[in-house]
Amino acid sequence: MVEVFCYYSLSSPWAYFAGPRLHDMVRRHQARLVLKPFDFQEIVPRTGGIPLRTRPEPRRTYHALELDRWRKHLGMPLNLVPKHYRQDGKPAGWNKPPGWMVIAAQARGLDAQRLSHALLRALWAEERDTSEPKVRVAIADENGMPGKELLQEETNPKVQGLYGTYSEEAEKLGVFGAPTCVLNGERFWGQDRLDFLDRALAALRR
């Protein structure tokens, strides 16, 4: 089976926008989606990415303009300034635990994509603080998954090892933004490049 790897952060609005279309795409092409949350704050500055908080004002305002355009275009709810998004990036690592929970769910063979999208939607559209353990447990439970068990597994060696591996892979591949999908070693950066990924998957099936 063809595999699509998705490197991203559980705080990315663009990953939130991409989720439903990416899920539909891999289903249509009978591919397998492997979610790979990684240490975005640590890796991306080393691969050429520029954190939003350090960008000049014209770029920050344009970022907000693009978010507004895409939420209207896709018909997806999104708060331009969500209450629990840490624009200053502090405390460092605040967005890691949701990624750990997704990895734990995927390792169990659960619907990790569903959980991932629910966590992103909670942050960007529902004003829920996904850095809080009790919030993550509730979101997992709401989506038919064992929230307390997944929470306990977030910090186990297997999950932490995979998180480290995904971060190393992202750096070696030169991932500098989220989401970045990888198909047969080829990178597709951004939810606005999913059409190219769609064509690449279609070509593999011919």
Side-chain angles (χ1 to χ4, degrees), residues 13 16-17 67-68 71 76-85 87 120-128:
Y16 164 62
F17 282 151
L67 286 177
D68 185 44
R71 68 177 176 176
M76 294 175 65
L78 176 135
N79 298 315
L80 293 178
V81 186
K83 183 178 180 180
H84 299 290
Y85 178 79
Q87 296 194 39
L120 286 163
R121 182 178 63 241
L123 176 64
W124 284 97
E126 298 172 353
E127 302 290 37
R128 300 169 76 180

mmCIF file with all atom_site columns, all heavy atoms in Angstrom, residues 13 16-17 67-68 71 76-85 87 120-128:
data_model
loop_
_atom_site.group_PDB
_atom_site.id
_atom_site.type_symbol
_atom_site.label_atom_id
_atom_site.label_alt_id
_atom_site.label_comp_id
_atom_site.label_asym_id
_atom_site.label_entity_id
_atom_site.label_seq_id
_atom_site.pdbx_PDB_ins_code
_atom_site.Cartn_x
_atom_site.Cartn_y
_atom_site.Cartn_z
_atom_site.occupancy
_atom_site.B_iso_or_equiv
_atom_site.pdbx_formal_charge
_atom_site.auth_seq_id
_atom_site.auth_comp_id
_atom_site.auth_asym_id
_atom_site.auth_atom_id
_atom_site.pdbx_PDB_model_num
ATOM 1   N N   . PRO A 1 13  ? -2.841  25.980 12.158 1.00 0.00 ? 13  PRO A N   1
ATOM 2   C CA  . PRO A 1 13  ? -4.161  26.170 11.549 1.00 0.00 ? 13  PRO A CA  1
ATOM 3   C C   . PRO A 1 13  ? -4.228  25.562 10.156 1.00 0.00 ? 13  PRO A C   1
ATOM 4   O O   . PRO A 1 13  ? -5.285  25.147 9.693  1.00 0.00 ? 13  PRO A O   1
ATOM 5   C CB  . PRO A 1 13  ? -4.318  27.697 11.504 1.00 0.00 ? 13  PRO A CB  1
ATOM 6   C CG  . PRO A 1 13  ? -2.909  28.209 11.443 1.00 0.00 ? 13  PRO A CG  1
ATOM 7   C CD  . PRO A 1 13  ? -2.111  27.258 12.285 1.00 0.00 ? 13  PRO A CD  1
ATOM 8   N N   . TYR A 1 16  ? -5.062  22.035 10.405 1.00 0.00 ? 16  TYR A N   1
ATOM 9   C CA  . TYR A 1 16  ? -6.511  21.958 10.661 1.00 0.00 ? 16  TYR A CA  1
ATOM 10  C C   . TYR A 1 16  ? -7.287  22.038 9.358  1.00 0.00 ? 16  TYR A C   1
ATOM 11  O O   . TYR A 1 16  ? -8.180  21.219 9.095  1.00 0.00 ? 16  TYR A O   1
ATOM 12  C CB  . TYR A 1 16  ? -6.912  23.079 11.615 1.00 0.00 ? 16  TYR A CB  1
ATOM 13  C CG  . TYR A 1 16  ? -8.394  23.363 11.689 1.00 0.00 ? 16  TYR A CG  1
ATOM 14  C CD1 . TYR A 1 16  ? -9.297  22.392 12.125 1.00 0.00 ? 16  TYR A CD1 1
ATOM 15  C CD2 . TYR A 1 16  ? -8.888  24.619 11.341 1.00 0.00 ? 16  TYR A CD2 1
ATOM 16  C CE1 . TYR A 1 16  ? -10.658 22.670 12.199 1.00 0.00 ? 16  TYR A CE1 1
ATOM 17  C CE2 . TYR A 1 16  ? -10.243 24.906 11.423 1.00 0.00 ? 16  TYR A CE2 1
ATOM 18  C CZ  . TYR A 1 16  ? -11.130 23.928 11.847 1.00 0.00 ? 16  TYR A CZ  1
ATOM 19  O OH  . TYR A 1 16  ? -12.461 24.205 11.923 1.00 0.00 ? 16  TYR A OH  1
ATOM 20  N N   . PHE A 1 17  ? -6.939  22.990 8.510  1.00 0.00 ? 17  PHE A N   1
ATOM 21  C CA  . PHE A 1 17  ? -7.613  23.126 7.224  1.00 0.00 ? 17  PHE A CA  1
ATOM 22  C C   . PHE A 1 17  ? -7.401  21.891 6.347  1.00 0.00 ? 17  PHE A C   1
ATOM 23  O O   . PHE A 1 17  ? -8.284  21.477 5.602  1.00 0.00 ? 17  PHE A O   1
ATOM 24  C CB  . PHE A 1 17  ? -7.094  24.358 6.478  1.00 0.00 ? 17  PHE A CB  1
ATOM 25  C CG  . PHE A 1 17  ? -7.639  25.670 6.962  1.00 0.00 ? 17  PHE A CG  1
ATOM 26  C CD1 . PHE A 1 17  ? -6.882  26.829 6.835  1.00 0.00 ? 17  PHE A CD1 1
ATOM 27  C CD2 . PHE A 1 17  ? -8.908  25.779 7.516  1.00 0.00 ? 17  PHE A CD2 1
ATOM 28  C CE1 . PHE A 1 17  ? -7.381  28.059 7.262  1.00 0.00 ? 17  PHE A CE1 1
ATOM 29  C CE2 . PHE A 1 17  ? -9.410  26.996 7.952  1.00 0.00 ? 17  PHE A CE2 1
ATOM 30  C CZ  . PHE A 1 17  ? -8.640  28.142 7.821  1.00 0.00 ? 17  PHE A CZ  1
ATOM 31  N N   . LEU A 1 67  ? -5.649  33.281 6.471  1.00 0.00 ? 67  LEU A N   1
ATOM 32  C CA  . LEU A 1 67  ? -6.503  32.428 7.296  1.00 0.00 ? 67  LEU A CA  1
ATOM 33  C C   . LEU A 1 67  ? -7.973  32.757 7.074  1.00 0.00 ? 67  LEU A C   1
ATOM 34  O O   . LEU A 1 67  ? -8.819  31.859 6.965  1.00 0.00 ? 67  LEU A O   1
ATOM 35  C CB  . LEU A 1 67  ? -6.154  32.595 8.774  1.00 0.00 ? 67  LEU A CB  1
ATOM 36  C CG  . LEU A 1 67  ? -4.863  31.964 9.284  1.00 0.00 ? 67  LEU A CG  1
ATOM 37  C CD1 . LEU A 1 67  ? -4.662  32.300 10.760 1.00 0.00 ? 67  LEU A CD1 1
ATOM 38  C CD2 . LEU A 1 67  ? -4.865  30.450 9.082  1.00 0.00 ? 67  LEU A CD2 1
ATOM 39  N N   . ASP A 1 68  ? -8.280  34.034 6.998  1.00 0.00 ? 68  ASP A N   1
ATOM 40  C CA  . ASP A 1 68  ? -9.665  34.456 6.788  1.00 0.00 ? 68  ASP A CA  1
ATOM 41  C C   . ASP A 1 68  ? -10.170 33.999 5.421  1.00 0.00 ? 68  ASP A C   1
ATOM 42  O O   . ASP A 1 68  ? -11.298 33.509 5.294  1.00 0.00 ? 68  ASP A O   1
ATOM 43  C CB  . ASP A 1 68  ? -9.761  35.978 6.919  1.00 0.00 ? 68  ASP A CB  1
ATOM 44  C CG  . ASP A 1 68  ? -11.188 36.468 6.826  1.00 0.00 ? 68  ASP A CG  1
ATOM 45  O OD1 . ASP A 1 68  ? -12.088 35.856 7.455  1.00 0.00 ? 68  ASP A OD1 1
ATOM 46  O OD2 . ASP A 1 68  ? -11.434 37.466 6.111  1.00 0.00 ? 68  ASP A OD2 1
ATOM 47  N N   . ARG A 1 71  ? -10.682 30.093 5.561  1.00 0.00 ? 71  ARG A N   1
ATOM 48  C CA  . ARG A 1 71  ? -11.812 29.607 6.355  1.00 0.00 ? 71  ARG A CA  1
ATOM 49  C C   . ARG A 1 71  ? -13.123 29.833 5.607  1.00 0.00 ? 71  ARG A C   1
ATOM 50  O O   . ARG A 1 71  ? -14.045 29.020 5.684  1.00 0.00 ? 71  ARG A O   1
ATOM 51  C CB  . ARG A 1 71  ? -11.837 30.253 7.732  1.00 0.00 ? 71  ARG A CB  1
ATOM 52  C CG  . ARG A 1 71  ? -12.153 31.741 7.765  1.00 0.00 ? 71  ARG A CG  1
ATOM 53  C CD  . ARG A 1 71  ? -12.219 32.288 9.181  1.00 0.00 ? 71  ARG A CD  1
ATOM 54  N NE  . ARG A 1 71  ? -12.421 33.735 9.205  1.00 0.00 ? 71  ARG A NE  1
ATOM 55  C CZ  . ARG A 1 71  ? -12.595 34.444 10.299 1.00 0.00 ? 71  ARG A CZ  1
ATOM 56  N NH1 . ARG A 1 71  ? -12.584 33.852 11.485 1.00 0.00 ? 71  ARG A NH1 1
ATOM 57  N NH2 . ARG A 1 71  ? -12.777 35.761 10.248 1.00 0.00 ? 71  ARG A NH2 1
ATOM 58  N N   . MET A 1 76  ? -14.953 26.328 6.867  1.00 0.00 ? 76  MET A N   1
ATOM 59  C CA  . MET A 1 76  ? -14.568 25.736 8.143  1.00 0.00 ? 76  MET A CA  1
ATOM 60  C C   . MET A 1 76  ? -14.458 26.825 9.206  1.00 0.00 ? 76  MET A C   1
ATOM 61  O O   . MET A 1 76  ? -13.817 27.853 8.965  1.00 0.00 ? 76  MET A O   1
ATOM 62  C CB  . MET A 1 76  ? -13.231 24.996 8.017  1.00 0.00 ? 76  MET A CB  1
ATOM 63  C CG  . MET A 1 76  ? -13.295 23.776 7.123  1.00 0.00 ? 76  MET A CG  1
ATOM 64  S SD  . MET A 1 76  ? -11.662 22.984 6.869  1.00 0.00 ? 76  MET A SD  1
ATOM 65  C CE  . MET A 1 76  ? -11.296 22.415 8.548  1.00 0.00 ? 76  MET A CE  1
ATOM 66  N N   . PRO A 1 77  ? -15.051 26.628 10.371 1.00 0.00 ? 77  PRO A N   1
ATOM 67  C CA  . PRO A 1 77  ? -14.949 27.638 11.426 1.00 0.00 ? 77  PRO A CA  1
ATOM 68  C C   . PRO A 1 77  ? -13.520 27.758 11.924 1.00 0.00 ? 77  PRO A C   1
ATOM 69  O O   . PRO A 1 77  ? -12.811 26.754 12.066 1.00 0.00 ? 77  PRO A O   1
ATOM 70  C CB  . PRO A 1 77  ? -15.880 27.111 12.518 1.00 0.00 ? 77  PRO A CB  1
ATOM 71  C CG  . PRO A 1 77  ? -15.893 25.630 12.298 1.00 0.00 ? 77  PRO A CG  1
ATOM 72  C CD  . PRO A 1 77  ? -15.811 25.449 10.810 1.00 0.00 ? 77  PRO A CD  1
ATOM 73  N N   . LEU A 1 78  ? -13.098 28.988 12.184 1.00 0.00 ? 78  LEU A N   1
ATOM 74  C CA  . LEU A 1 78  ? -11.761 29.227 12.723 1.00 0.00 ? 78  LEU A CA  1
ATOM 75  C C   . LEU A 1 78  ? -11.729 30.605 13.347 1.00 0.00 ? 78  LEU A C   1
ATOM 76  O O   . LEU A 1 78  ? -12.215 31.569 12.754 1.00 0.00 ? 78  LEU A O   1
ATOM 77  C CB  . LEU A 1 78  ? -10.699 29.117 11.618 1.00 0.00 ? 78  LEU A CB  1
ATOM 78  C CG  . LEU A 1 78  ? -9.262  29.445 12.061 1.00 0.00 ? 78  LEU A CG  1
ATOM 79  C CD1 . LEU A 1 78  ? -8.271  28.408 11.527 1.00 0.00 ? 78  LEU A CD1 1
ATOM 80  C CD2 . LEU A 1 78  ? -8.848  30.832 11.552 1.00 0.00 ? 78  LEU A CD2 1
ATOM 81  N N   . ASN A 1 79  ? -11.173 30.689 14.544 1.00 0.00 ? 79  ASN A N   1
ATOM 82  C CA  . ASN A 1 79  ? -10.989 31.978 15.200 1.00 0.00 ? 79  ASN A CA  1
ATOM 83  C C   . ASN A 1 79  ? -9.614  32.522 14.822 1.00 0.00 ? 79  ASN A C   1
ATOM 84  O O   . ASN A 1 79  ? -8.604  31.829 15.007 1.00 0.00 ? 79  ASN A O   1
ATOM 85  C CB  . ASN A 1 79  ? -11.093 31.829 16.718 1.00 0.00 ? 79  ASN A CB  1
ATOM 86  C CG  . ASN A 1 79  ? -12.462 31.332 17.150 1.00 0.00 ? 79  ASN A CG  1
ATOM 87  O OD1 . ASN A 1 79  ? -13.477 31.812 16.678 1.00 0.00 ? 79  ASN A OD1 1
ATOM 88  N ND2 . ASN A 1 79  ? -12.489 30.342 18.028 1.00 0.00 ? 79  ASN A ND2 1
ATOM 89  N N   . LEU A 1 80  ? -9.574  33.715 14.300 1.00 0.00 ? 80  LEU A N   1
ATOM 90  C CA  . LEU A 1 80  ? -8.300  34.267 13.853 1.00 0.00 ? 80  LEU A CA  1
ATOM 91  C C   . LEU A 1 80  ? -7.324  34.467 15.011 1.00 0.00 ? 80  LEU A C   1
ATOM 92  O O   . LEU A 1 80  ? -6.102  34.374 14.823 1.00 0.00 ? 80  LEU A O   1
ATOM 93  C CB  . LEU A 1 80  ? -8.528  35.592 13.119 1.00 0.00 ? 80  LEU A CB  1
ATOM 94  C CG  . LEU A 1 80  ? -9.282  35.488 11.789 1.00 0.00 ? 80  LEU A CG  1
ATOM 95  C CD1 . LEU A 1 80  ? -9.485  36.874 11.189 1.00 0.00 ? 80  LEU A CD1 1
ATOM 96  C CD2 . LEU A 1 80  ? -8.536  34.585 10.814 1.00 0.00 ? 80  LEU A CD2 1
ATOM 97  N N   . VAL A 1 81  ? -7.844  34.754 16.190 1.00 0.00 ? 81  VAL A N   1
ATOM 98  C CA  . VAL A 1 81  ? -6.987  34.881 17.381 1.00 0.00 ? 81  VAL A CA  1
ATOM 99  C C   . VAL A 1 81  ? -7.570  33.974 18.461 1.00 0.00 ? 81  VAL A C   1
ATOM 100 O O   . VAL A 1 81  ? -8.252  34.429 19.387 1.00 0.00 ? 81  VAL A O   1
ATOM 101 C CB  . VAL A 1 81  ? -6.911  36.341 17.872 1.00 0.00 ? 81  VAL A CB  1
ATOM 102 C CG1 . VAL A 1 81  ? -5.909  36.464 19.017 1.00 0.00 ? 81  VAL A CG1 1
ATOM 103 C CG2 . VAL A 1 81  ? -6.518  37.286 16.737 1.00 0.00 ? 81  VAL A CG2 1
ATOM 104 N N   . PRO A 1 82  ? -7.312  32.676 18.371 1.00 0.00 ? 82  PRO A N   1
ATOM 105 C CA  . PRO A 1 82  ? -7.890  31.754 19.349 1.00 0.00 ? 82  PRO A CA  1
ATOM 106 C C   . PRO A 1 82  ? -7.345  32.003 20.753 1.00 0.00 ? 82  PRO A C   1
ATOM 107 O O   . PRO A 1 82  ? -6.170  32.341 20.931 1.00 0.00 ? 82  PRO A O   1
ATOM 108 C CB  . PRO A 1 82  ? -7.494  30.373 18.830 1.00 0.00 ? 82  PRO A CB  1
ATOM 109 C CG  . PRO A 1 82  ? -6.321  30.617 17.960 1.00 0.00 ? 82  PRO A CG  1
ATOM 110 C CD  . PRO A 1 82  ? -6.510  31.973 17.367 1.00 0.00 ? 82  PRO A CD  1
ATOM 111 N N   . LYS A 1 83  ? -8.206  31.832 21.701 1.00 0.00 ? 83  LYS A N   1
ATOM 112 C CA  . LYS A 1 83  ? -7.892  32.156 23.096 1.00 0.00 ? 83  LYS A CA  1
ATOM 113 C C   . LYS A 1 83  ? -6.687  31.398 23.632 1.00 0.00 ? 83  LYS A C   1
ATOM 114 O O   . LYS A 1 83  ? -5.902  31.930 24.416 1.00 0.00 ? 83  LYS A O   1
ATOM 115 C CB  . LYS A 1 83  ? -9.117  31.867 23.957 1.00 0.00 ? 83  LYS A CB  1
ATOM 116 C CG  . LYS A 1 83  ? -8.971  32.211 25.429 1.00 0.00 ? 83  LYS A CG  1
ATOM 117 C CD  . LYS A 1 83  ? -10.272 31.933 26.172 1.00 0.00 ? 83  LYS A CD  1
ATOM 118 C CE  . LYS A 1 83  ? -10.152 32.263 27.646 1.00 0.00 ? 83  LYS A CE  1
ATOM 119 N NZ  . LYS A 1 83  ? -11.426 31.981 28.373 1.00 0.00 ? 83  LYS A NZ  1
ATOM 120 N N   . HIS A 1 84  ? -6.505  30.149 23.204 1.00 0.00 ? 84  HIS A N   1
ATOM 121 C CA  . HIS A 1 84  ? -5.483  29.305 23.815 1.00 0.00 ? 84  HIS A CA  1
ATOM 122 C C   . HIS A 1 84  ? -4.302  29.013 22.892 1.00 0.00 ? 84  HIS A C   1
ATOM 123 O O   . HIS A 1 84  ? -3.507  28.113 23.179 1.00 0.00 ? 84  HIS A O   1
ATOM 124 C CB  . HIS A 1 84  ? -6.108  27.994 24.301 1.00 0.00 ? 84  HIS A CB  1
ATOM 125 C CG  . HIS A 1 84  ? -7.162  28.205 25.329 1.00 0.00 ? 84  HIS A CG  1
ATOM 126 N ND1 . HIS A 1 84  ? -6.869  28.628 26.611 1.00 0.00 ? 84  HIS A ND1 1
ATOM 127 C CD2 . HIS A 1 84  ? -8.523  28.087 25.258 1.00 0.00 ? 84  HIS A CD2 1
ATOM 128 C CE1 . HIS A 1 84  ? -8.000  28.737 27.298 1.00 0.00 ? 84  HIS A CE1 1
ATOM 129 N NE2 . HIS A 1 84  ? -9.004  28.417 26.507 1.00 0.00 ? 84  HIS A NE2 1
ATOM 130 N N   . TYR A 1 85  ? -4.167  29.777 21.815 1.00 0.00 ? 85  TYR A N   1
ATOM 131 C CA  . TYR A 1 85  ? -2.990  29.646 20.967 1.00 0.00 ? 85  TYR A CA  1
ATOM 132 C C   . TYR A 1 85  ? -1.896  30.560 21.505 1.00 0.00 ? 85  TYR A C   1
ATOM 133 O O   . TYR A 1 85  ? -2.103  31.764 21.633 1.00 0.00 ? 85  TYR A O   1
ATOM 134 C CB  . TYR A 1 85  ? -3.319  30.021 19.515 1.00 0.00 ? 85  TYR A CB  1
ATOM 135 C CG  . TYR A 1 85  ? -2.110  29.957 18.602 1.00 0.00 ? 85  TYR A CG  1
ATOM 136 C CD1 . TYR A 1 85  ? -1.663  28.742 18.115 1.00 0.00 ? 85  TYR A CD1 1
ATOM 137 C CD2 . TYR A 1 85  ? -1.430  31.115 18.246 1.00 0.00 ? 85  TYR A CD2 1
ATOM 138 C CE1 . TYR A 1 85  ? -0.555  28.668 17.286 1.00 0.00 ? 85  TYR A CE1 1
ATOM 139 C CE2 . TYR A 1 85  ? -0.317  31.057 17.418 1.00 0.00 ? 85  TYR A CE2 1
ATOM 140 C CZ  . TYR A 1 85  ? 0.118   29.833 16.952 1.00 0.00 ? 85  TYR A CZ  1
ATOM 141 O OH  . TYR A 1 85  ? 1.221   29.768 16.127 1.00 0.00 ? 85  TYR A OH  1
ATOM 142 N N   . GLN A 1 87  ? 0.749   32.734 21.076 1.00 0.00 ? 87  GLN A N   1
ATOM 143 C CA  . GLN A 1 87  ? 1.417   33.475 20.017 1.00 0.00 ? 87  GLN A CA  1
ATOM 144 C C   . GLN A 1 87  ? 2.876   33.761 20.342 1.00 0.00 ? 87  GLN A C   1
ATOM 145 O O   . GLN A 1 87  ? 3.696   33.928 19.431 1.00 0.00 ? 87  GLN A O   1
ATOM 146 C CB  . GLN A 1 87  ? 0.667   34.778 19.734 1.00 0.00 ? 87  GLN A CB  1
ATOM 147 C CG  . GLN A 1 87  ? -0.735  34.540 19.191 1.00 0.00 ? 87  GLN A CG  1
ATOM 148 C CD  . GLN A 1 87  ? -1.353  35.788 18.605 1.00 0.00 ? 87  GLN A CD  1
ATOM 149 O OE1 . GLN A 1 87  ? -0.681  36.583 17.952 1.00 0.00 ? 87  GLN A OE1 1
ATOM 150 N NE2 . GLN A 1 87  ? -2.644  35.973 18.826 1.00 0.00 ? 87  GLN A NE2 1
ATOM 151 N N   . LEU A 1 120 ? -7.199  19.749 16.738 1.00 0.00 ? 120 LEU A N   1
ATOM 152 C CA  . LEU A 1 120 ? -6.948  21.006 16.022 1.00 0.00 ? 120 LEU A CA  1
ATOM 153 C C   . LEU A 1 120 ? -8.202  21.884 15.994 1.00 0.00 ? 120 LEU A C   1
ATOM 154 O O   . LEU A 1 120 ? -8.128  23.101 16.183 1.00 0.00 ? 120 LEU A O   1
ATOM 155 C CB  . LEU A 1 120 ? -6.469  20.713 14.598 1.00 0.00 ? 120 LEU A CB  1
ATOM 156 C CG  . LEU A 1 120 ? -5.032  20.194 14.493 1.00 0.00 ? 120 LEU A CG  1
ATOM 157 C CD1 . LEU A 1 120 ? -4.794  19.553 13.135 1.00 0.00 ? 120 LEU A CD1 1
ATOM 158 C CD2 . LEU A 1 120 ? -4.041  21.329 14.730 1.00 0.00 ? 120 LEU A CD2 1
ATOM 159 N N   . ARG A 1 121 ? -9.349  21.258 15.766 1.00 0.00 ? 121 ARG A N   1
ATOM 160 C CA  . ARG A 1 121 ? -10.606 22.010 15.753 1.00 0.00 ? 121 ARG A CA  1
ATOM 161 C C   . ARG A 1 121 ? -10.878 22.610 17.130 1.00 0.00 ? 121 ARG A C   1
ATOM 162 O O   . ARG A 1 121 ? -11.346 23.750 17.245 1.00 0.00 ? 121 ARG A O   1
ATOM 163 C CB  . ARG A 1 121 ? -11.757 21.091 15.337 1.00 0.00 ? 121 ARG A CB  1
ATOM 164 C CG  . ARG A 1 121 ? -13.113 21.809 15.241 1.00 0.00 ? 121 ARG A CG  1
ATOM 165 C CD  . ARG A 1 121 ? -14.213 20.864 14.765 1.00 0.00 ? 121 ARG A CD  1
ATOM 166 N NE  . ARG A 1 121 ? -14.419 19.789 15.719 1.00 0.00 ? 121 ARG A NE  1
ATOM 167 C CZ  . ARG A 1 121 ? -14.244 18.496 15.437 1.00 0.00 ? 121 ARG A CZ  1
ATOM 168 N NH1 . ARG A 1 121 ? -13.847 18.123 14.236 1.00 0.00 ? 121 ARG A NH1 1
ATOM 169 N NH2 . ARG A 1 121 ? -14.466 17.581 16.370 1.00 0.00 ? 121 ARG A NH2 1
ATOM 170 N N   . ALA A 1 122 ? -10.566 21.849 18.176 1.00 0.00 ? 122 ALA A N   1
ATOM 171 C CA  . ALA A 1 122 ? -10.783 22.343 19.534 1.00 0.00 ? 122 ALA A CA  1
ATOM 172 C C   . ALA A 1 122 ? -9.984  23.608 19.790 1.00 0.00 ? 122 ALA A C   1
ATOM 173 O O   . ALA A 1 122 ? -10.483 24.564 20.402 1.00 0.00 ? 122 ALA A O   1
ATOM 174 C CB  . ALA A 1 122 ? -10.402 21.258 20.543 1.00 0.00 ? 122 ALA A CB  1
ATOM 175 N N   . LEU A 1 123 ? -8.743  23.623 19.332 1.00 0.00 ? 123 LEU A N   1
ATOM 176 C CA  . LEU A 1 123 ? -7.878  24.789 19.548 1.00 0.00 ? 123 LEU A CA  1
ATOM 177 C C   . LEU A 1 123 ? -8.310  25.972 18.705 1.00 0.00 ? 123 LEU A C   1
ATOM 178 O O   . LEU A 1 123 ? -8.400  27.103 19.204 1.00 0.00 ? 123 LEU A O   1
ATOM 179 C CB  . LEU A 1 123 ? -6.428  24.415 19.227 1.00 0.00 ? 123 LEU A CB  1
ATOM 180 C CG  . LEU A 1 123 ? -5.397  25.555 19.307 1.00 0.00 ? 123 LEU A CG  1
ATOM 181 C CD1 . LEU A 1 123 ? -5.284  26.079 20.738 1.00 0.00 ? 123 LEU A CD1 1
ATOM 182 C CD2 . LEU A 1 123 ? -4.034  25.077 18.816 1.00 0.00 ? 123 LEU A CD2 1
ATOM 183 N N   . TRP A 1 124 ? -8.571  25.726 17.419 1.00 0.00 ? 124 TRP A N   1
ATOM 184 C CA  . TRP A 1 124 ? -8.777  26.818 16.465 1.00 0.00 ? 124 TRP A CA  1
ATOM 185 C C   . TRP A 1 124 ? -10.231 27.262 16.293 1.00 0.00 ? 124 TRP A C   1
ATOM 186 O O   . TRP A 1 124 ? -10.484 28.361 15.807 1.00 0.00 ? 124 TRP A O   1
ATOM 187 C CB  . TRP A 1 124 ? -8.180  26.449 15.114 1.00 0.00 ? 124 TRP A CB  1
ATOM 188 C CG  . TRP A 1 124 ? -6.691  26.567 15.135 1.00 0.00 ? 124 TRP A CG  1
ATOM 189 C CD1 . TRP A 1 124 ? -5.773  25.574 15.337 1.00 0.00 ? 124 TRP A CD1 1
ATOM 190 C CD2 . TRP A 1 124 ? -5.939  27.774 15.010 1.00 0.00 ? 124 TRP A CD2 1
ATOM 191 N NE1 . TRP A 1 124 ? -4.498  26.089 15.341 1.00 0.00 ? 124 TRP A NE1 1
ATOM 192 C CE2 . TRP A 1 124 ? -4.572  27.435 15.140 1.00 0.00 ? 124 TRP A CE2 1
ATOM 193 C CE3 . TRP A 1 124 ? -6.280  29.110 14.792 1.00 0.00 ? 124 TRP A CE3 1
ATOM 194 C CZ2 . TRP A 1 124 ? -3.549  28.384 15.074 1.00 0.00 ? 124 TRP A CZ2 1
ATOM 195 C CZ3 . TRP A 1 124 ? -5.270  30.062 14.717 1.00 0.00 ? 124 TRP A CZ3 1
ATOM 196 C CH2 . TRP A 1 124 ? -3.931  29.689 14.852 1.00 0.00 ? 124 TRP A CH2 1
ATOM 197 N N   . ALA A 1 125 ? -11.171 26.421 16.679 1.00 0.00 ? 125 ALA A N   1
ATOM 198 C CA  . ALA A 1 125 ? -12.571 26.784 16.447 1.00 0.00 ? 125 ALA A CA  1
ATOM 199 C C   . ALA A 1 125 ? -13.439 26.713 17.694 1.00 0.00 ? 125 ALA A C   1
ATOM 200 O O   . ALA A 1 125 ? -14.518 27.305 17.713 1.00 0.00 ? 125 ALA A O   1
ATOM 201 C CB  . ALA A 1 125 ? -13.172 25.881 15.368 1.00 0.00 ? 125 ALA A CB  1
ATOM 202 N N   . GLU A 1 126 ? -12.993 26.004 18.723 1.00 0.00 ? 126 GLU A N   1
ATOM 203 C CA  . GLU A 1 126 ? -13.851 25.788 19.885 1.00 0.00 ? 126 GLU A CA  1
ATOM 204 C C   . GLU A 1 126 ? -13.341 26.434 21.161 1.00 0.00 ? 126 GLU A C   1
ATOM 205 O O   . GLU A 1 126 ? -13.953 26.259 22.224 1.00 0.00 ? 126 GLU A O   1
ATOM 206 C CB  . GLU A 1 126 ? -14.020 24.265 20.104 1.00 0.00 ? 126 GLU A CB  1
ATOM 207 C CG  . GLU A 1 126 ? -14.687 23.567 18.922 1.00 0.00 ? 126 GLU A CG  1
ATOM 208 C CD  . GLU A 1 126 ? -14.676 22.052 19.051 1.00 0.00 ? 126 GLU A CD  1
ATOM 209 O OE1 . GLU A 1 126 ? -14.032 21.542 20.004 1.00 0.00 ? 126 GLU A OE1 1
ATOM 210 O OE2 . GLU A 1 126 ? -15.303 21.390 18.212 1.00 0.00 ? 126 GLU A OE2 1
ATOM 211 N N   . GLU A 1 127 ? -12.223 27.168 21.089 1.00 0.00 ? 127 GLU A N   1
ATOM 212 C CA  . GLU A 1 127 ? -11.655 27.871 22.243 1.00 0.00 ? 127 GLU A CA  1
ATOM 213 C C   . GLU A 1 127 ? -11.391 26.931 23.424 1.00 0.00 ? 127 GLU A C   1
ATOM 214 O O   . GLU A 1 127 ? -11.702 27.227 24.573 1.00 0.00 ? 127 GLU A O   1
ATOM 215 C CB  . GLU A 1 127 ? -12.579 29.015 22.687 1.00 0.00 ? 127 GLU A CB  1
ATOM 216 C CG  . GLU A 1 127 ? -12.854 30.058 21.595 1.00 0.00 ? 127 GLU A CG  1
ATOM 217 C CD  . GLU A 1 127 ? -11.639 30.927 21.250 1.00 0.00 ? 127 GLU A CD  1
ATOM 218 O OE1 . GLU A 1 127 ? -10.509 30.407 21.250 1.00 0.00 ? 127 GLU A OE1 1
ATOM 219 O OE2 . GLU A 1 127 ? -11.843 32.113 20.964 1.00 0.00 ? 127 GLU A OE2 1
ATOM 220 N N   . ARG A 1 128 ? -10.796 25.769 23.110 1.00 0.00 ? 128 ARG A N   1
ATOM 221 C CA  . ARG A 1 128 ? -10.439 24.802 24.140 1.00 0.00 ? 128 ARG A CA  1
ATOM 222 C C   . ARG A 1 128 ? -8.914  24.709 24.217 1.00 0.00 ? 128 ARG A C   1
ATOM 223 O O   . ARG A 1 128 ? -8.222  24.734 23.195 1.00 0.00 ? 128 ARG A O   1
ATOM 224 C CB  . ARG A 1 128 ? -11.059 23.440 23.845 1.00 0.00 ? 128 ARG A CB  1
ATOM 225 C CG  . ARG A 1 128 ? -12.580 23.498 23.795 1.00 0.00 ? 128 ARG A CG  1
ATOM 226 C CD  . ARG A 1 128 ? -13.201 22.228 23.248 1.00 0.00 ? 128 ARG A CD  1
ATOM 227 N NE  . ARG A 1 128 ? -13.201 21.136 24.218 1.00 0.00 ? 128 ARG A NE  1
ATOM 228 C CZ  . ARG A 1 128 ? -13.702 19.924 23.954 1.00 0.00 ? 128 ARG A CZ  1
ATOM 229 N NH1 . ARG A 1 128 ? -14.232 19.667 22.761 1.00 0.00 ? 128 ARG A NH1 1
ATOM 230 N NH2 . ARG A 1 128 ? -13.678 18.975 24.878 1.00 0.00 ? 128 ARG A NH2 1
#
